[in-house]
Amino acid sequence: MSDRLRLFAAGAAALVLVAVGASACGSDSPESGTDPVPANAPAASTGASDPRALELAADWLVGNLNAEGLLENTSAYEGKTATSVDVGSSIDLVLGLSASGLLAQEATAVTDAVAEGLPAYVGSGGEVYSGASAKALRLAVDQGRDPHDFGGLDLQARVEDRVATKSRIAGRLQDRSEFGDYANSIGQSYAAAALSAVGSERAESVTDFLLAQQCEEGFFRLAFAAKGAAEQGCDADDSLPAEQAPDTTALVAVQLAPLAEDDEQVQDALRAATEWLLAQQADDGSFADPENGTNSNTTGLAGWALLELGEDDAAARAAGWVRDLQVAQEGDGSGEESLGKLAGETGALAYDEASLAEGREYGLADPLDRSPWVVAGVQAFPVLAAAPAAGESE
């Protein structure tokens, strides 16, 4: 395994923590005039899609669950290897399965497993990780669980309690942790979607604060302004550089999509986000992260968002690019010899072309080799719902 992929595996858990706002102790652009559509709405694609790639990816990911029914992440730091339960990726898996309409029984089992160990993920002993709590609440709502009693916790009250009410920062999520406040736009988006779904009185202020994180160009920034800043919106704060990562904007858009039907401000925000995402798409359908280059995770998330937003052609091109990184896709002509040591990993999605080549050479038997594929795959695979039928032009 290359040093590049070992660094990706080592950083995956930390990235999940930042994305959900958990404590550091835890583990050419076409114009778009299309109105956003609610999440889970059927795609009105101009061409036939092929469900095989999506189903194979879902099956492979479910096959990586441990004995407790959760995904794991293995990383290496200073010569030491550590494996830990990855609740965040497990939730991503369930939300992706739900959006794809696949493996409902398995999704239920994973949800049960998440509930079993929930306190360690959302914070215990006085610690409250607002982003993780919001993501868990989003899972509970998605799976029809009681938001007031999930894993023995009142998640709705827990998230509502971490919503600021002071006028300057009203609606902003904030952690309660001795390690600092890592709340950000991704956790904020889970809170906006979940609190809106349960009819919370805090939903409007949470959504408004999230919308303020959209920059003039149309993307959503990840980090918030300092709490002491007079202005909390993206364009009003020049002291904090805005990270233009398609991953953040795509994740926010997926969560906001269900709110668009009855909220003109959300509709306007999603139109701007759609135009920005379309402008980031390369001719081959892929998307690139500013720090990690072109990869399946970023492309999958952006393509999934575009699918939810009604941009079916762009989503299909992203799906085609991701599908090219899938192991032994049925009908692609690959044989056991060309798969090398990836034989038996049907459906797995490589992070990029280099990791696909390394997988053929080294295989995925070592958890350090396997973890990057799992972490990338759980967020990338839903875009495969838009994958064109085999043989169609992409």
Side-chain angles (χ1 to χ4, degrees):
M1 182 184 190
S2 72
D3 289 340
R4 177 184 62 84
L5 277 184
R6 289 195 184 280
L7 286 172
F8 175 84
L15 179 60
V16 170
L17 290 175
V18 171
V20 299
S23 151
C25 75
S27 52
D28 2 10
S29 165
E31 294 184 358
S32 171
T34 305
D35 287 338
V37 296
N40 299 327
S45 177
T46 56
S49 60
D50 183 352
R52 293 176 299 171
L54 177 67
E55 293 166 356
L56 289 172
D59 287 341
W60 184 84
L61 288 165
V62 167
N64 281 273
L65 296 169
N66 66 13
E68 286 72 43
L70 296 170
L71 296 174
E72 295 179 336
N73 184 66
T74 300
S75 58
Y77 180 69
E78 295 184 345
K80 297 181 179 180
T81 299
T83 297
S84 59
V85 171
D86 190 343
V87 176
S89 289
S90 300
I91 295 176
D92 288 332
L93 174 59
V94 175
L95 295 178
L97 292 175
S98 179
S100 306
L102 295 175
L103 304 178
Q105 183 174 346
E106 287 79 0
T108 296
V110 176
T111 303
D112 290 340
V114 169
E116 186 71 22
L118 192 59
Y121 176 64
V122 301
S124 60
E127 296 275 305
V128 180
Y129 313 142
S130 60
S133 298
K135 188 170 182 176
L137 178 60
R138 183 71 182 89
L139 170 69
V141 171
D142 180 83
Q143 291 296 296
R145 305 301 178 91
D146 185 350
H148 296 292
D149 185 12
F150 182 64
L153 299 176
D154 186 338
L155 280 179
Q156 181 175 335
R158 186 183 185 88
V159 174
E160 289 173 337
D161 183 61
R162 301 317 305 155
V163 177
T165 56
K166 293 182 179 179
S167 59
R168 187 183 67 255
I169 59 172
R172 173 176 172 153
L173 282 190
Q174 44 192 351
D175 293 342
R176 185 172 68 208
S177 173
E178 63 177 300
F179 299 95
D181 189 349
Y182 292 85
N184 57 53
S185 293
I186 295 176
Q188 190 83 19
S189 72
Y190 286 120
L195 292 178
S196 295
V198 299
S200 170
E201 294 180 353
R202 299 291 175 87
E204 183 176 357
S205 66
V206 168
T207 303
D208 287 345
F209 190 87
L210 175 61
L211 295 180
Q213 307 315 307
Q214 186 173 35
C215 300
E216 182 178 0
E217 295 89 340
F219 66 89
F220 283 84
R221 66 175 180 180
L222 177 63
F224 295 154
K227 288 183 181 178
E231 299 292 340
Q232 293 288 306
C234 177
D235 296 316
D237 179 26
D238 296 329
S239 66
L240 189 67
E243 178 184 297
Q244 300 187 40
D247 306 61
T248 299
T249 298
L251 281 165
V252 171
V254 168
Q255 297 308 315
L256 281 178
L259 313 185
E261 184 175 359
D262 301 318
D263 191 321
E264 291 186 3
Q265 285 185 304
V266 173
Q267 291 174 15
D268 291 342
L270 289 178
R271 288 191 187 97
T274 300
E275 292 176 2
W276 184 83
L277 284 170
L278 289 171
Q280 310 311 306
Q281 189 170 31
D283 290 342
D284 63 2
S286 66
F287 288 80
D289 176 84
E291 294 186 0
N292 298 303
T294 304
N295 63 81
S296 63
N297 196 129
T298 300
T299 301
L301 283 172
W304 181 13
L306 290 171
L307 181 62
E308 298 288 356
L309 297 170
E311 296 290 342
D312 302 312
D313 291 339
R317 291 195 295 119
W321 190 90
V322 171
R323 187 178 60 184
D324 285 344
L325 294 176
Q326 188 171 43
V327 175
Q329 179 187 318
E330 188 176 341
D332 69 358
S334 296
E336 292 294 315
E337 183 177 354
S338 65
L339 293 177
K341 292 186 178 180
L342 286 175
E345 303 289 355
T346 302
L349 294 173
Y351 184 69
D352 55 19
E353 291 184 0
S355 64
L356 182 61
E358 290 164 2
R360 292 191 184 105
E361 181 176 356
Y362 299 108
L364 304 180
D366 187 332
L368 270 177
D369 296 328
R370 181 173 294 271
S371 284
W373 291 62
V374 174
V375 172
V378 291
Q379 292 187 330
F381 87 94
V383 75
L384 294 173
E392 283 196 5
S393 173
E394 299 167 17

